[in-house]
Amino acid sequence: MPPVYLMRHGETVWNLDARMQGQRDSPLTVRGRAQAARQGAILRDHGVTCHARSSPLGRAMETARLAGLQAIADVRLAEVGMGAWEGRLRADITTASGLMWKFDAPGGEGLAMVRARLEDLLADDMAEPVILITHGAIGIVLRALLCGFPAEHWDRMEDPQGVVHVIENGVERLLA
C-alpha cells in the first residue's frame, strides 16, 4: 500500500471545553486554524501533492481548506457517533472499563461499525498516496489498522492536532 497521510482537524471550541463532539460540530479556534495552516505547510515542505479525502464534518472540511487542500468529502471518515454523549462534558461521562470508551456511548456507533466502515475505506482503490483528514478516534483506528496494532493498544494512542502522520508499509512516523 502506498503512503497514507493522516491529519486530525484543528482544535475546536468544544475541544477546549472538553466536550464530546462525535458527529456534531463546533468551530475551529484561532489556534485550530493555525494548526490547519501548519499541516498544509508540513505537506508542502515534504512535497506531498496527492489527492485528499475528508470527513464531511465542518471542522475537518475547514481544516482541509485552510491546509490548502481540495478534499473530497467521504462519510466513512466522519467521527464516531457518540449517541447520548454528544455535546456532554467528558467529566460528566463515566464508563465501567475505560478501554475503547468512545465506542460505548448509549445510542452511539460501536467499534464494530466503525471498524467496518474504515476497512471498507482502506479496501477502496488505494493504489496511490492519499491524504485523509479526519478526527481523533477515527484517526486512531485508522492508524492502528494500517500499522497492525491490537485493540488493547488503541486506548493508549495519542491523537494530536496540528501534525501529519504518515503510514507506509505498516510503519508510522510524524512529519515535521
Side-chain angles (χ1 to χ4, degrees), residues 42 49 61-62 70-71 75 80 103 108 122 126 138 147 151 170:
I42 290 169
T49 59
M61 292 298 289
E62 180 72 357
Q70 293 187 358
V75 71
V80 58
F103 302 102
L122 295 174
M126 299 283 268
I138 296 303
C147 294

Side-chain angles (χ1 to χ4, degrees), residues 58-142:
R59 60 195 186 267
M61 292 298 289
E62 180 72 357
T63 296
R65 186 187 69 75
L66 291 169
L69 302 171
Q70 293 187 358
I72 298 169
D74 191 323
V75 71
R76 296 171 295 184
L77 290 168
E79 181 62 298
V80 58
M82 294 182 199
W85 290 353
E86 291 188 7
R88 295 190 53 200
L89 295 173
R90 288 180 193 220
D92 295 339
I93 298 168
T94 60
T95 64
S97 67
L99 179 63
M100 308 307 290
W101 61 275
K102 289 184 179 182
F103 302 102
D104 297 331
E109 185 179 17
L111 179 57
M113 291 174 64
V114 169
R115 188 176 187 144
R117 70 174 154 103
L118 294 178
E119 286 174 344
D120 181 65
L121 173 82
L122 295 174
D124 268 0
D125 181 18
M126 299 283 268
E128 297 178 9
V130 64
I131 302 164
L132 302 177
I133 303 97
T134 190
H135 307 273
I138 296 303
I140 285 173
V141 176
L142 276 169

Side-chain angles (χ1 to χ4, degrees), residues 5 7 39-48 69 131 164 175:
Y5 299 88
M7 296 169 35
Q39 288 169 312
I42 290 169
L43 293 170
R44 287 186 298 280
D45 289 349
H46 287 273
V48 178
L69 302 171
I131 302 164
V164 177
L175 297 182

